[in-house]
């Protein structure tokens, strides 16, 4: 029989990612429905263990010696636990003065304090937690295959936390694509695909986890902030009708579902967590659905009509209500504290700010360490009118984003007209290879016909394409933007294999690519965080006005690519490099020797590659270190500020980025 009130730990490894873990959010909902205690953590499992031990230590110290403010010594206690050094321990022992009214009480408690400090120091140092696991079930989610190392490390460490190894559940993208490898490496057999059948987590249970609404509260348990802002995350369809060789969807979601009931889940999320500003749809091929008109109508019914505005609900009211219900005390205490800090620092001024500050001080709300549920609920009665009066109520635009992109081959006049009836921003259209040129152009022109003027697209490269194909696709976007008076932002996305050893890292090089060209694309994108804007002046400067200029840039030293102004105008080194480069390239013998060295992009030990003095002098250009010039190029810093601002001002642009460029 299934146990009640199980202790459930949800872990997302400490990689950087844009989206919250939707699978874990559904699993959290599932376990709360069963009455289980759920904790979510993102980051190093070892750090999670340490945090738990530190909190247990503080709790015990407060219990045996409540007259001391142990939270103020949290940093020093942390250092002691990590070192277990007696000197650091002794420095933590209370030393009351004779005139203190609690002198005798505190003095009598010193031996107990010392005993518990010794206990927790030894407990952590000797890894006693491995002998006494407390979690009934642990889930580890996985994401991209190239996060192999950090993910496998998390799985190994999670094995020490669960009472029964059979209750360690590993799932997600990496686990579904590298199933055998994960099992071989960790001894844990992963769960693959999606949880779309009853009883997949607990035998005999009729709940289908994949149909459940998301538990947004777990996101407030952690310090990591996903850059999606206020948004509903959902699917209108599942799977894809295509079987593209470069895509993982056929493996992850093999059955295409043309429409998924969404409105009930939408209403449930709105009821529990308040209305969200934007709608972020994770469908892999929504246009393939014959029920696309119904999908658009559902989106409209959710309040996402063209021109729709959003006024943020009173988040403090929602958090306090959920705190009263005991939905997730840890999350809502942190949420309330965060809201109150922002309110104090940004929303109120003058006398009102002082009044609010005094209320915070009265109820010990200024530091998260001293915040309690009871004090929050009491303080709320005095703060709620201030918060409602001064909170941000400015209307904001609402947007819909088919974040995984739309398939140009399914675009018709009819469905583009339907898309134009919702606040789509941006419209993403995939342009994965040159053979899609005709369908892609048609789709863009239809978008412009219906006044959809903000577009973005994914440009897959490093698969079976040639380097010039990438330039041609970006060039078309620039030309279409000019012709149609629209903005198409391109996002080159480097292909990484889905299976095998090459999937476990990001160093794969496609058949027609080489390391130098890959690094050149990354260098160009380094400043812009992966964005290729449509302005001709930028494009021609960054990627060349012609294919010949593009290839010249691809062979250019990385520092010359990134710090254009510095090397072109101030140091005058780029013209000199071009002269030598073109001389070598025009000499068949020299080029035959230089080309493979360039394309390997390893210049630290160039003397072992060639003895030719002309080439040795030429490769000196490639030894200039990026860090040596990073702070000296004002143009680089200006561009970087521009694109950092663009990303911050448009969270949906940010969502398209991988971390190849950071």
């Amino acid at each position: 029989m299934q146990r009640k009130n199980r202790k459930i730990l949800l872990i997302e490894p400490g990689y950087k990612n844009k989206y919250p873990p939707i699978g874990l959010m559904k699993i959290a909902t599932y376990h709360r429905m069963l009455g289980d205690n759920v904790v979510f953590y993102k980051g190093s499992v070892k750090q999670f263990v340490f945090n738990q031990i530190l909190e247990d230590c503080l709790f015990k110290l407060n219990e045996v010696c409540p007259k001391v403010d142990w939270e103020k010594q949290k940093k020093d206690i942390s250092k002691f636990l990590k070192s277990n050094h007696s000197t650091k321990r002794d420095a933590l022992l209370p030393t009351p003065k004779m005139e203190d009214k609690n002198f005798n009480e505190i003095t009598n408690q010193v031996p107990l304090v010392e005993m518990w400090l010794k206990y927790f120091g030894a407990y952590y140092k000797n890894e006693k937690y491995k002998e006494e696991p407390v979690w009934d079930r642990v889930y580890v989610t996985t994401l991209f295959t190239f996060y192999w190392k950090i993910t496998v490390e998390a799985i190994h460490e999670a094995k020490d936390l669960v009472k029964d190894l059979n209750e360690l559940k590993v799932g997600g993208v990496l686990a579904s694509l590298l199933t055998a490898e994960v099992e071989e490496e960790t001894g844990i057999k992963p769960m693959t695909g999606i949880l779309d059948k009853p009883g997949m987590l607990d035998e005999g249970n009729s709940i289908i986890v994949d149909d459940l609404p998301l538990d947004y509260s777990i996101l407030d348990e952690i310090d990591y902030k996903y850059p999606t802002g206020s948004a509903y995350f959902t699917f209108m369809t599942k799977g894809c009708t295509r079987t593209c060789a470069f895509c993982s969807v056929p493996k992850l979601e093999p059955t295409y579902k043309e429409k998924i009931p969404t409105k009930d889940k939408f209403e449930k999320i709105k009821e529990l967590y308040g209305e969200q500003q934007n709608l972020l749809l994770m469908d892999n091929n929504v246009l393939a659905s014959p029920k696309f008109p119904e999908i658009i109508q559902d989106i409209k019914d959710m309040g996402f009509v063209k021109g729709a505005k959003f006024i943020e609900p009173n988040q403090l009211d929602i958090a306090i209500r959920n705190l009263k219900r005991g939905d997730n005390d840890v999350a809502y205490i942190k949420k309330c504290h965060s809201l109150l800090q922002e309110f104090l620092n940004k929303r109120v001024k003058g006398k009102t700010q002082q009044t609010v500050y005094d209320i915070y001080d009265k109820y010990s709300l200024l530091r998260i360490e001293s915040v309690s549920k009871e004090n929050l609920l009491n303080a709320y009665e005095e703060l709620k009118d201030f918060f409602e009066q001064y909170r941000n109520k400015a209307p904001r635009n609402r947007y819909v984003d088919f974040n995984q992109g739309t398939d140009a081959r399914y675009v018709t006049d009819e469905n583009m007209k339907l898309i134009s009836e919702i606040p789509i921003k941006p419209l993403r259209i995939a342009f994965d290879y040159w053979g899609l040129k005709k369908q892609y152009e048609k789709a863009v022109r239809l978008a412009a016909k219906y006044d959809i003027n903000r577009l973005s697209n994914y440009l897959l490269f490093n698969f079976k394409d040639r380097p010039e194909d990438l330039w041609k696709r970006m060039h078309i976007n620039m030309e279409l933007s000019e012709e149609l008076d629209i903005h198409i932002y391109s996002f080159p996305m480097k292909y990484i294999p889905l299976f095998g050893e090459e999937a476990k890292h990001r160093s794969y090089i496609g058949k027609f690519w080489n390391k130098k060209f890959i690094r050149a694309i990354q260098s160009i994108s380094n400043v812009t965080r992966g964005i290729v804007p449509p302005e001709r002046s930028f494009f021609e400067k960054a990627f060349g006005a012609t294919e010949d200029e593009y290839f010249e840039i691809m062979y250019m030293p990385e520092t010359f690519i990134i710090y254009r102004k510095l090397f072109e105008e101030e140091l005058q080194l780029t013209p000199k490099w071009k002269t030598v480069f073109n001389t070598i390239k025009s000499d068949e013998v020299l080029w035959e020797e230089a080309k493979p060295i360039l394309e390997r992009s390893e210049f630290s030990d160039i003397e072992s590659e060639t003895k030719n003095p002309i080439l040795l002098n030429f490769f000196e250009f490639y030894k200039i270190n990026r860090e040596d010039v990073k702070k000296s190029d004002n143009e680089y810093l200006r561009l970087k500020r521009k694109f950092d601002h663009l990303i911050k001002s448009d969270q949906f642009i940010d969502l398209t980025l991988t971390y190849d460029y950071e």
Side-chain angles (χ1 to χ4, degrees):
M1 180 179 289
Q2 182 183 302
R3 289 170 293 173
K4 296 294 183 181
N5 301 119
R6 292 173 294 182
K7 292 190 67 175
I8 306 296
L9 175 61
L10 313 176
I11 295 173
E12 181 175 54
Y15 41 65
K16 295 170 71 176
N17 54 314
K18 306 293 183 180
Y19 310 104
I22 290 174
L24 292 185
M25 293 167 79
K26 291 181 179 182
I27 290 170
T29 298
Y30 168 80
H31 279 288
R32 291 195 202 284
M33 289 171 66
L34 299 180
D36 294 329
N37 299 311
V38 181
V39 171
F40 172 53
Y41 182 78
K42 178 174 177 60
S44 160
V45 177
K46 283 186 175 179
Q47 186 61 48
F48 171 77
V49 171
F50 178 79
N51 293 346
Q52 294 287 297
I53 295 172
L54 176 59
E55 291 304 316
D56 288 345
C57 180
L58 287 168
F59 177 83
K60 185 56 70 174
L61 293 177
N62 277 311
E63 188 177 62
V64 300
C65 190
K67 301 299 183 182
V68 173
D69 187 351
W70 294 107
E71 288 293 342
K72 285 187 177 180
Q73 299 191 62
K74 187 172 183 177
K75 188 174 181 180
D76 291 329
I77 294 170
S78 175
K79 290 178 180 177
F80 159 68
L81 292 178
K82 289 178 179 178
S83 67
N84 197 26
H85 198 282
S86 58
T87 303
K88 291 182 179 178
R89 183 192 68 229
D90 293 344
L92 293 168
L93 298 177
T95 54
K97 296 179 181 179
M98 286 293 296
E99 60 268 24
D100 291 345
K101 62 179 181 179
N102 298 311
F103 175 81
N104 290 331
E105 182 181 352
I106 294 176
T107 301
N108 292 335
Q109 292 162 341
V110 169
L112 278 175
V113 169
E114 184 175 18
M115 181 192 77
W116 282 114
L117 286 171
K118 284 181 179 179
Y119 171 81
F120 283 106
Y123 187 84
Y124 178 69
K125 180 181 179 181
N126 299 326
E127 298 183 331
K128 289 287 187 180
Y129 58 88
K130 294 183 179 181
E131 302 171 14
E132 306 166 0
V134 299
W135 300 97
D136 296 300
R137 181 177 291 173
V138 176
Y139 293 87
V140 179
T141 190
T142 68
L143 194 56
F144 302 125
T145 58
F146 50 76
Y147 288 141
W148 171 264
K149 184 177 179 181
I150 191 172
T151 302
V152 164
E153 183 179 90
I155 296 170
H156 276 302
E157 292 172 352
K159 288 156 72 173
D160 296 322
L161 306 184
V162 66
K163 295 175 181 177
D164 179 354
L165 272 184
N166 293 318
E167 293 297 307
L168 176 55
K169 309 293 185 182
V170 177
V173 176
L174 180 150
S176 296
L177 296 177
L178 299 177
T179 309
E181 290 89 338
V182 170
E183 184 172 5
E184 181 180 355
E185 177 67 30
T186 67
I188 304 299
K189 185 173 183 177
M191 305 180 73
T192 60
I194 55 179
L195 300 171
D196 58 352
K197 298 178 181 63
M200 293 185 74
L201 295 183
D202 291 299
E203 190 174 345
N205 190 299
S206 62
I207 298 172
I208 299 175
V209 176
D210 197 49
D211 290 344
L212 296 175
L214 310 185
D215 183 345
Y216 282 68
S217 74
I218 69 170
L219 306 184
D220 289 308
E221 293 182 46
I222 60 174
D223 296 327
Y224 187 90
K225 297 303 176 188
Y226 302 93
T228 48
S230 172
Y232 298 101
F233 302 93
T234 191
F235 293 83
M236 294 293 188
T237 63
K238 275 288 178 77
C240 182
T241 56
R242 309 287 185 188
T243 55
C244 300
F246 52 79
C247 183
S248 63
V249 174
K251 175 75 172 176
L252 301 174
E253 300 172 8
T255 303
Y256 186 71
K257 299 178 182 179
E258 59 189 29
K259 189 171 187 294
I260 294 173
T262 301
K263 291 171 71 173
D264 287 347
K265 288 184 278 188
F266 173 87
E267 292 299 329
K268 188 67 174 176
I269 290 168
K270 187 162 65 170
E271 175 195 336
L272 289 174
Y273 311 110
E275 196 156 16
Q276 307 293 308
Q277 180 180 358
N278 300 309
L279 178 59
L280 199 155
L281 297 164
M282 312 295 288
D283 300 59
N284 291 298
N285 202 333
V286 69
L287 292 183
S289 174
K291 296 185 177 181
F292 187 69
E294 296 176 32
I295 290 170
I296 292 295
Q297 188 57 51
D298 279 358
I299 292 172
K300 290 179 180 178
D301 292 343
M302 292 175 185
F304 290 90
V305 296
K306 199 158 189 177
K309 298 292 183 180
F310 167 80
I311 297 177
E312 187 171 15
N314 188 315
Q315 295 291 345
L316 184 62
D317 279 356
I318 294 168
I320 290 291
R321 180 200 66 195
N322 292 345
L323 192 61
K324 287 179 179 178
R325 294 196 310 206
D327 287 353
N328 185 344
D329 284 1
V330 171
Y332 288 114
I333 287 172
K334 290 187 72 172
K335 174 87 169 180
C336 288
H337 180 260
S338 176
L339 289 168
L340 291 173
Q341 288 302 305
E342 182 182 26
F343 181 68
L344 178 66
N345 295 325
K346 296 183 179 180
R347 303 303 306 173
V348 288
K349 304 291 181 184
K351 291 182 179 179
T352 304
Q353 186 181 47
Q354 184 61 52
T355 302
V356 169
Y357 179 91
D358 290 342
I359 297 171
Y360 287 13
D361 189 40
K362 174 183 175 182
Y363 290 100
S364 302
L365 303 181
L366 292 169
R367 294 188 298 131
I368 184 62
E369 295 84 5
S370 60
V371 175
S372 70
K373 179 175 179 176
E374 181 183 4
N375 280 357
L376 274 171
L377 297 179
N378 290 332
Y380 172 70
E381 296 304 317
E382 297 184 36
L383 289 169
K384 61 182 180 181
D385 291 339
F386 288 111
F387 195 88
E388 176 58 29
Q389 181 179 354
Y390 292 103
R391 71 182 180 86
N392 185 3
K393 301 173 190 172
R396 287 176 271 167
N397 291 326
R398 304 187 88 174
Y399 297 119
V400 177
D401 180 23
F402 291 106
N403 193 258
Q404 303 304 296
T406 54
D407 187 338
R409 292 163 289 186
Y410 283 119
V411 169
T412 64
D413 192 285
E414 180 186 5
N415 59 30
M416 190 61 76
K417 182 177 184 299
L418 288 170
I419 291 173
S420 73
E421 295 172 4
I422 61 174
I424 191 80
K425 183 182 180 182
L427 172 61
R428 306 186 192 278
I429 306 175
F431 194 2
D432 291 318
Y433 53 92
W434 183 243
L436 291 173
K437 175 180 178 292
K438 183 178 178 181
Q439 296 97 321
Y440 175 75
E441 282 197 59
K442 175 189 172 185
V444 171
R445 292 183 186 281
L446 281 173
K449 174 184 174 181
Y450 287 104
D451 295 323
I452 300 172
N453 56 23
R454 185 73 177 267
L455 291 87
S456 105
N457 70 5
Y458 305 120
L459 303 176
L460 183 74
F461 73 97
N462 193 44
F463 183 52
K464 295 181 179 179
D465 58 304
R466 295 177 181 273
E468 58 267 31
D469 294 342
L470 178 60
W471 183 87
K472 289 191 290 186
R473 285 179 285 161
M474 291 188 291
H475 193 265
I476 283 175
N477 281 340
M478 181 263 294
E479 291 187 321
L480 286 171
S481 294
E482 285 185 341
E483 177 192 343
L484 302 172
D485 192 25
I486 59 177
H487 296 274
I488 307 175
Y489 291 88
S490 300
F491 295 90
M493 306 292 281
K494 186 177 73 173
Y495 171 74
I496 294 169
L498 302 175
F499 307 103
E501 289 299 314
E502 290 178 317
K504 297 177 182 178
H505 49 74
R506 297 194 234 194
S507 56
Y508 173 78
I509 297 175
K511 178 180 178 181
F512 299 107
W513 286 78
N514 58 67
K515 187 176 180 180
K516 179 68 183 75
F517 287 2
I518 295 289
R519 291 183 68 89
I521 297 297
Q522 292 172 338
S523 296
I524 296 169
S525 302
N526 182 275
V527 176
T528 65
R529 302 271 298 276
I531 302 171
V532 180
E535 289 81 12
R536 181 179 290 273
S537 59
F538 176 88
F539 177 81
E540 292 185 349
K541 183 73 171 177
F543 293 97
T546 65
E547 284 188 40
D548 286 342
E549 288 185 13
Y550 168 69
F551 277 106
E552 182 178 80
I553 292 169
M554 297 285 268
Y555 281 114
M556 191 180 288
E558 288 177 35
T559 47
F560 289 34
I561 293 173
I562 297 172
Y563 309 101
R564 299 291 180 91
K565 185 176 181 180
L566 177 66
F567 284 95
E568 284 182 6
E569 299 177 18
E570 297 179 30
L571 300 179
Q572 289 287 306
L573 284 178
T574 301
K576 295 176 182 177
W577 170 84
K578 284 185 179 182
T579 300
V580 181
F581 174 74
N582 288 322
T583 299
I584 292 172
K585 196 176 178 187
S586 63
D587 186 307
E588 186 175 338
V589 175
L590 282 175
W591 183 240
E592 185 177 349
E593 184 177 359
K595 184 173 181 287
I597 299 174
L598 275 172
E599 293 179 355
R600 283 194 293 274
S601 196
E602 297 290 346
F603 308 110
S604 58
D605 187 22
I606 201 66
E607 290 78 10
S608 65
E609 299 276 357
T610 180
K611 303 300 181 187
N612 189 309
I614 296 174
L615 296 183
L616 287 173
N617 286 331
F618 170 65
F619 285 120
E620 287 298 313
F621 287 112
Y622 293 83
K623 292 184 177 181
I624 299 174
N625 190 297
R626 184 184 299 187
E627 296 303 317
D628 292 340
V629 296
K630 195 167 186 177
K631 296 179 181 178
S632 61
D633 184 12
N634 292 329
E635 182 68 10
Y636 167 81
L637 295 175
R638 185 190 67 79
L639 275 173
K640 193 171 191 312
R641 282 194 298 269
K642 172 185 174 181
F643 284 97
D644 282 349
H645 173 74
L646 179 60
I647 282 171
K648 288 176 183 176
S649 65
D650 190 335
Q651 62 200 32
F652 292 128
I653 282 183
D654 190 34
L655 291 174
T656 68
L657 305 181
T658 66
Y659 284 91
D660 287 339
Y661 309 115
E662 299 183 8

